């Protein structure tokens, strides 16, 4: 009989090597998949590597792609650590972009040093509004947060659709009716770093956010309460923590992070409001946060890994000639090996022979 | 708007309610079994999608719809096997196992789909037709609503009492509920917790997969990316809203389907509001309904908590 | 007498701990054999190994002198071994009957309750157990849940029954009934392994095996030993069972409760018109069978539950309906009865638990960050002062034994409280050494001028500690008595619902 | 075309390699019809060119931009045909690759001019004809249309369909539904059924799900491609997009640049090829011809002839269609 025996201490070296093994195993399994369609495996992986880390431009793309994933991942970390099962990151990303777009209208003309913080803050505020609604539904009306956040996701998507199609924000004129807003003015583009055309200043924010999250989680009373809430809310309640208030704070903070992702996408990448580049960022963030072991630093690495895969996907498609849908499949496969590796790091596999 | 109250439209609203709810019902009953056994399977969407894809593949390859139904069931059970391995054996967090499954299913089905059609015209199949039950289908209003539906619809409606019986009146059901409430109570009687969890998750996922397969075979003729379009999430919502009881889940699924059907007909009769608002109606109304409800939570006590003896 | 079961050289290690170290043990047919030892001595682990729930790393188990392979509870059950676990293994959402039959039916796919019902009737009648088989377990008071556990074992035809601290949740009356039934079982040839921390109960057994730190210290014939000897063997030093309580004149009134009532989840009255007061240098004991409103009373007093009516005056200020935070800030300390659920965050380290509730206090913060140095410093101090046995302050509290976990709570509450301590069942499940310690600490606070409300199901505790005893029954106070003037029996009668002398309280409230 | 290779100057190109960025997938009507047109161009060999191409899976936003860049940098592609709203991406590339001809397609694009050409597709004329037929054939005087999302080049068709119907039969009432999803056959089915329940007896189906029509045994119209094969018993006729004139326009422009040295002159405003130019067509289902009375057919033929001759212009109306 095979049993898993808990290790005394998770061994750092063993943890690291098991995760490397997971990546290798994940890639190996993907190779089988690639080979099954007759494509050339080394070519495909070459393209993947080239597209994710092969050049400064590829690295920039990886960073840009990782940015929203890390932020939605952090949103997940904060909520899930408190055992608040918010699935609302998806809608909050949309809300962030919408709030940011509204901000761009309201704050147009301000100097950049005021404009960008202003519009990002408005985006985050819009997300926080959503988080607040879910928190009120949970605290006041005992509506399970999975239900409320899933429902709010749908509502936000339809709201954006209306704003862009039939509502006030749709692009009018020569190219009317295409589910997108007009292009933002150049002054509303997040400034580029290192003269790159792609690497916008927003890529710095996830790292800043992760550092803040790490500090908050491990060193502040709020982080203490978040962790405590996840472990044992009853004890916290007995010891004077206002659970409803803490839940609201957590859901709003989490929503703000997810919304920041949406706002950065708007000002850094798409430069106009439209839905298709926002779809899936929230759901992917949940997975990123969980692969990151619900730790802010782990989430950064997981986000970079997923960002690299996403960035390499196009190269794989164009140079390696495999369907782009290989990438989500590879992400899924790698995720599973990661999970197995996580188990390996925490447990020892022991073959138990019946003792006579 | 006044059109809405004509008999033909009322019948259409009700019949549409039944059509929308039945695939969801299979999946929701499947997820109910899974969750009552303590496994928080978030992979409903992926399981339904895989079930739908398997059904499409087999339907177009063999032309047999019932083989396709079987394929959806088997595909669902296989997804259940993956979930069971992750949660019962590896004791991975249930949420991440399920979400990972969604990712994997979304990618793999699309990848295989593209490999399957390979640039040629997409094969299509001709799905299930309505079956008129003799005599009953002639009853006014009720007849066309209830007795002129797909064969699997009747099965779906039967599944509710069957699941109820399984959970509350069978020996296996008592053990299954025990898994969700306190698996240790089985363990101390010398029964294998993980074997039972495997069985429950595979059975539940098979039904979930069947829900996806029915969506394909009953209401479509082709597969497309993201075919299930978020219905898996609605299933999870219905389970929570239905308070983990067969009847509650039935009510939740019905209410949701009715709202969706109503919104559909409102748009069609030309309600003068943005169509997005009508599309959002079921979601808005669901939240509203749930705000008014309060009950003692029926959530299994050990739901989502991996069981380990030591 | 023949040997029913023998354990030879059993060793069981958990990650980092050797819970049983080369244990030899034997159980004779028809005897009650006690396992006695400190919290964490390895009693439960040994039982679980015998029951096949844990797999020992080394050692042999023999039944009627035949070596047997017990790889799982299934094997144990087949060999007629039954076990009642220290913490209930029940499904609250199931009925009593369902709890008993789940997993026992081996064939047929419909539930077959009728047969089971009949068999259970026979068992209940045979032992004089009175239990409604169709009641939901969550409806039953804890004491009755214990019978469900015992019935589970009997239903499976146990010949050897392991009872792990069955009386921790029973009233003295219920414990007595349990012992009668256990005697009957022995008379019918069953053998019992009984784990208990209560010396009175140990003294009723036939033999006793004392464990210390996983090793067997001695196995003795009970009639040939004394409680003092057992206690000494257990902890390795002398333990005094009688704490000395100095006479102190009560000071000013700290807490005055008038006409307090509260409602439960279903709107039922859980507290009815409760009035009492406590003064400085005073311990008010709350006697009563568990489930008669003590828990709710403490919850209302510490702000976790809102009262439906009535007044609570703390140092003259009306505080009824205030939040737990407000009560804590005013100096109310609370030692809850469910320590790992309400008193501690088990996953937090000892140090983090020491500041639980005060994590935002400027004392432990350095600007927006928590002050790690201050907190670990404090934790080290507390570990020293309260003799908490732990590797260091970073160990998570859940890894400590129940006694040491309780010490963290006591340390924290005593540190932050000023004026009033509410202690609900502070010694439940603790070994005698730790009980002595807790009692000493309570008396120390009393001497310092605290008012203390102390609920306990152990009347002996209350008689040795309390200045006055309020007896609760069905959410009401049956009377407040002076322990020097009444007998245990008289209080016992009041616990069963007979009204007594309330004069003592009336006097104080008007004072 | 025989002989043209000899006549061509030595410097004249004989190969044209196109990179296609798809937006929905080869199985969709939008992308599938383009590939079909390319197949025909390959056979036709305009300017004697060997036309080859490579297409991607659906790519959007920056991903599409990256793919275009990879294609451009490889130096192997003469035309990059980005088959939807991609002018934001082309904007970032076109100056860097002045020799490459970029194509963007459909609504939502910006007319950049230069080496970006903007192909537009209007299928409103065939839709008008279908509507005209529907107006004549309906017994309930109620027609339905089911679409995915409202958009400029979807609205024009739906509006033209009903305009045609009104022209044929002023009593016609219309019902319109959008499902707000690209792929959800089950949902599309429910909307169609709802329309049938309100009395619609002919459906203009833009979502590709004909099952409800089969079940209700009513006729319907396919959109964008010949959808007869989807449901041979119900698809009376389809409004079909044909990319052939668009392809040959682009090939000509490229040829003019490459072989004749002219500079690219991309259009800054929408340009589409009308039915008479072969940009779109009506493809009837011959098996169901019996359902169309001869008189109706005659009217239709006459109308079609006027459209083809340019004497009748179908108005382009892109406002959001609503039920009336
Ligand atoms: N599942 C476990 N994992 C790790 N260590 C354990 C586990 N169970 C028990 N231990 C450790 O084994 C030792 C013995 O525990 P055991 O439960 O047998 O004590 P006990 O004598 O029953 O104590 P108590 O009187 O408090 O019930 C303790 O040090 C405890 O920390
Ligand atoms: N999974 C575990 N890992 C580490 N230690 C454990 C684990 N489970 C239990 N223990 C420890 O084992 C010891 C005995 O556990 P047990 O369940 O008997 O609790 P206890 O402390 O005796 O509780 P009580 O307060 O009821 O006497 C405790 O010290 C507990 O902290
Ligand atoms: Mg124990
Ligand atoms: Mg104990």
């Amino acid at each position: 009989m095979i049993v898993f025996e808990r290790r005394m201490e998770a061994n750092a070296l063993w943890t690291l090597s098991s995760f490397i093994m997971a990546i290798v195993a994940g890639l190996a399994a993907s190779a089988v998949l690639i080979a099954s369609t007759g494509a050339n495996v080394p070519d495909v992986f070459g393209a993947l590597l080239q597209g994710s880390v092969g050049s400064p431009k590829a690295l920039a793309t990886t960073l840009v792609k990782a940015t929203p994933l890390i932020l939605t991942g952090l949103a997940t970390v904060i909520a899930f650590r408190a055992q608040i099962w918010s699935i609302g990151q998806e809608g909050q990303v949309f809300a962030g972009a919408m709030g940011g777009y509204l901000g761009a209208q309201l704050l147009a003309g301000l100097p950049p040093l005021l404009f960008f913080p202003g519009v990002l803050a408005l985006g985050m505020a819009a997300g926080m509004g959503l988080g607040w609604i879910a928190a009120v539904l949970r605290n006041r009306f005992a509506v399970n947060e999975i239900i409320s956040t899933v429902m709010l996701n749908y509502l936000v998507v339809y709201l954006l659709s209306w704003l862009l199609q039939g509502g006030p924000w749709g692009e009018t004129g020569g190219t009317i009716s295409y589910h997108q807003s007009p292009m933002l003015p150049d002054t509303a583009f997040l400034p580029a770093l290192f003269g790159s055309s792609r690497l916008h200043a927003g890529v710095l924010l996830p790292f800043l956010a992760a550092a803040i999250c790490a500090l908050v989680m491990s060193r502040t009373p709020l982080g203490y309460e978040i962790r405590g809430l996840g472990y044992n809310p009853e004890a916290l309640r007995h010891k004077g923590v206002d659970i409803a208030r803490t839940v609201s704070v957590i859901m709003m903070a989490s929503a703000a992070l997810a919304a920041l992702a949406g706002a950065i996408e708007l000002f850094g990448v798409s430069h106009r409001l439209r839905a298709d580049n926002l779809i899936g960022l929230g759901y992917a963030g949940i997975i990123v946060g969980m692969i990151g072991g619900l730790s802010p630093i782990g989430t950064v690495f997981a986000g970079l890994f997923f960002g690299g895969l996403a960035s390499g996907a196009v190269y794989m498609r164009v140079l390696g000639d495999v369907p782009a849908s290989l990438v989500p499949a590879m992400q899924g496969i790698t995720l599973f090996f990661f999970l197995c590796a996580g188990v390996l790091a925490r447990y020892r596999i022991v073959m138990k022979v019946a003792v006579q | 708007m006044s059109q809405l109250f004509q008999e033909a439209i009322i019948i259409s609203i009700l019949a549409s309610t039944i059509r929308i709810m039945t695939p969801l019902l299979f999946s929701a009953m499947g997820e109910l079994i899974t969750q009552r056994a303590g496994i928080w399977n978030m992979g409903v969407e992926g399981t339904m999608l895989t079930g739908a894809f398997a059904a499409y593949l087999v339907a177009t390859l063999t032309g047999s719809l019932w083989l396709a139904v079987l394929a959806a069931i088997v595909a669902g059970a296989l997804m259940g096997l993956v979930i069971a391995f992750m949660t019962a054996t590896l004791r991975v967090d249930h949420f991440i196992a399920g979400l990972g499954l969604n990712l994997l299913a979304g990618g793999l089905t699309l990848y295989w789909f593209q490999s399957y059609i390979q640039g040629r015209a997409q094969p299509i199949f001709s799905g299930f037709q309505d079956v008129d039950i003799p005599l009953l289908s002639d009853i006014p209003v009720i007849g066309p609503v209830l007795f002129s539906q797909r064969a699997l619809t009747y099965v779906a409606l039967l599944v509710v009492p069957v699941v109820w019986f399984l959970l509350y009146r069978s020996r296996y059901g008592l053990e299954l509920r025990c898994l969700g409430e306190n698996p240790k109570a089985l363990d101390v009687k010398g029964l294998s917790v993980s074997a039972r969890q495997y069985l429950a998750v595979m059975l539940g996922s098979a039904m979930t997969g069947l829900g996806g397969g029915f969506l394909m075979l009953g209401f479509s003729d082709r597969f497309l990316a993201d075919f299930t379009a978020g219905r898996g999430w609605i299933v999870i919502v219905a389970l929570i809203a239905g308070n983990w009881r067969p009847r509650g889940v039935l009510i939740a699924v019905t209410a949701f389907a009715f709202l969706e059907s109503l919104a559909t007909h409102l748009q069609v009769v030309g309600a003068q509001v943005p169509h997005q608002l009508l599309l959002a109606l079921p979601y808005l109304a669901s939240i509203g309904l749930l705000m008014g409800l309060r009950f003692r939570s029926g959530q299994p006590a050990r739901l989502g908590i991996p069981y380990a003896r030591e | 007498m023949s040997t029913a079961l023998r354990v030879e050289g059993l060793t069981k290690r958990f990650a980092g701990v050797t819970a049983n170290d080369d244990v030899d043990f034997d159980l004779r047919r028809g005897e009650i054999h006690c396992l006695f030892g400190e919290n964490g001595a390895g009693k439960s682990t040994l039982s679980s190994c015998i029951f096949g729930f844990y797999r020992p790393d080394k050692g042999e188990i023999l039944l009627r002198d035949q070596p047997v392979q017990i790889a799982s509870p299934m094997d144990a059950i087949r060999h007629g071994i039954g076990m009642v676990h220290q913490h209930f293994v029940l499904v609250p959402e199931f009925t009593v009957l369902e709890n008993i039959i789940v997993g026992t039916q081996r064939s047929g796919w419909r539930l077959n309750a009728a047969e089971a019902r009949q068999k259970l009737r026979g068992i209940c009648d045979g032992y004089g157990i009175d239990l409604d088989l169709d009641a939901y377990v969550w409806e039953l008071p804890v004491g009755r849940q214990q019978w469900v556990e015992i019935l589970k074992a009997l239903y499976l035809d146990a010949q050897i029954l392991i009872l792990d601290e069955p009386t921790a949740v029973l009233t003295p009356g219920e414990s007595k009934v349990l012992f009668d039934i256990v005697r009957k079982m022995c008379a019918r040839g069953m053998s019992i392994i009984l784990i208990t921390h209560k010396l009175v109960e140990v003294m009723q057994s036939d033999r006793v095996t004392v464990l210390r730190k996983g090793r067997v210290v001695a196995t003795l014939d009970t009639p040939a030993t004394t409680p003092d000897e057992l206690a000494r063997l257990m902890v390795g030093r002398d333990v005094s069972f009688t704490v000395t309580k100095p006479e102190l004149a009560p000071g000013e009134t700290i807490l005055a409760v008038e006409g307090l009532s509260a409602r439960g989840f279903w709107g039922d009255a859980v507290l009815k018109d409760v009035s009492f007061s406590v003064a400085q240098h005073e311990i008010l004991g709350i006697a009563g069978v568990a489930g008669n409103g003590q828990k709710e009373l403490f919850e209302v007093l510490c702000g976790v539950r809102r009262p439906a009516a009535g007044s609570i005056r703390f140092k003259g200020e009306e505080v009824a309906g205030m939040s737990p935070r407000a009560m804590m800030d005013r100096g109310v300390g609370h030692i809850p009865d469910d320590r790992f659920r309400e008193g501690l965050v088990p996953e937090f380290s000892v140090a983090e638990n020491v500041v639980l509730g005060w994590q935002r206090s400027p004392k432990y913060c350095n600007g927006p960050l928590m002050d790690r140095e201050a907190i670990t410093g404090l934790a080290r101090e507390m570990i020293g002062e309260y003799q908490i046995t732990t590797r260091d302050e970073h160990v998570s509290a859940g890894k400590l034994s129940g006694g040491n976990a309780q010490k963290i709570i006591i340390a924290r509450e005593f540190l932050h409280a000023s004026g009033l301590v509410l202690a609900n069942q502070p010694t439940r499940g603790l070994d005698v050494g730790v009980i002595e310690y807790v009692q000493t600490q309570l008396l120390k606070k009393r001497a310092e001028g605290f008012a203390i409300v102390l609920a306990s199901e152990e009347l002996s505790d209350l008689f040795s500690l309390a200045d006055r005893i309020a007896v609760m029954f069905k959410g009401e106070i049956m009377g407040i008595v002076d322990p020097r003037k009444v007998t245990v029996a008289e209080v016992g009668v009041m616990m069963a619902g007979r009204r007594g002398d309330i004069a003592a309280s009336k006097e104080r409230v008007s004072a | 075309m025989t002989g043209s290779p000899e006549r061509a100057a030595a410097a004249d190109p004989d190969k044209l390699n196109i990179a296609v960025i798809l937006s929905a997938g080869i199985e969709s009507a939008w992308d599938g019809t383009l590939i079909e047109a390319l197949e025909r161009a390959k056979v036709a060999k305009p300017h004697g060119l060997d036309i080859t191409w490579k297409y991607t899976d659906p790519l959007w936003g920056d991903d599409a931009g990256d793919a275009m860049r990879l294609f451009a940098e490889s130096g192997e592609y003469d035309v990059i045909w980005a088959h939807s709203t991609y002018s934001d991406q082309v904007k970032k590339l076109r100056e860097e690759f002045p020799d490459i001809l970029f194509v963007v397609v459909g609504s939502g694009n910006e007319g950049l001019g230069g080496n970006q050409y903007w192909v537009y597709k209007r299928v409103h004329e065939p839709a008008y004809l279908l509507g005209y037929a529907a107006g004549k054939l309906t017994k309930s005087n109620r027609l339905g249309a089911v679409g995915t999302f409202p958009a400029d080049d979807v609205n024009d068709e739906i509006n033209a369909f009903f305009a045609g119907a009104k022209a044929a039969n002023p009593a016609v009432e219309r019902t319109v539904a959008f499902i707000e999803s690209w792929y959800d056959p089950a949902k599309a089915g429910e909307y169609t059924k709802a329309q049938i329940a309100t009395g619609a007896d002919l459906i203009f189906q833009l979502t590709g799900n004909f099952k409800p029509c089969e079940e209700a045994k009513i006729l319907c119209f396919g959109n964008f491609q010949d959808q007869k094969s989807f449901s041979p018993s119900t698809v009376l006729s389809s409004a079909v997009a044909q990319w052939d004139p668009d392809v040959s326009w682009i090939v000509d422009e490229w040829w003019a640049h490459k072989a004749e040295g002219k500079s690219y002159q991309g259009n800054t405003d929408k340009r589409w090829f009308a039915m008479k130019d072969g940009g779109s067509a009506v493809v009837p289902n011959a098996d169901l011809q019996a359902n169309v009375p001869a008189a109706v057919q005659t009217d239709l033929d006459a109308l079609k002839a006027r459209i083809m001759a340019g004497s009748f212009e179908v108005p382009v109306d892109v406002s959001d269609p609503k039920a009336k």
Side-chain angles (χ1 to χ4, degrees), chain A residues 318-330:
Chain A
V318 173
L319 303 179
D321 246 337
V322 287
S325 55
L326 181 64
V327 166
M330 275 180 70

Side-chain angles (χ1 to χ4, degrees), chain A residues 1 6 8 215 219-222 224-225 227-228 231-232 234-241 352 355-356, chain C residues 15 69 304 324-325 328 340-342 344-348 352 356-357 359-360 365 368-370 372 413:
Chain A
M1 188 176 66
R6 194 175 266 280
M8 289 178 205
L215 194 69
R219 298 290 310 275
T220 65
L222 177 64
Y224 177 98
E225 286 158 6
R227 287 179 289 132
Y231 295 135
N232 188 355
E234 197 56 19
L236 258 67
R237 191 169 76 92
H238 274 78
K239 293 323 295 172
V241 175
K352 286 241 166 160
V355 228
Q356 286 309 310
Chain C
Q69 182 69 48
V304 173
R325 178 81 262 157
M328 287 160 65
F340 282 109
R341 209 172 97 83
E342 293 163 359
L344 294 168
V345 177
E347 290 84 353
F348 273 178
E352 285 173 310
L356 180 63
Q359 67 275 10
R360 287 179 185 273
C365 284
L369 301 185
M370 291 175 83
R372 279 187 194 163
E413 297 305 314

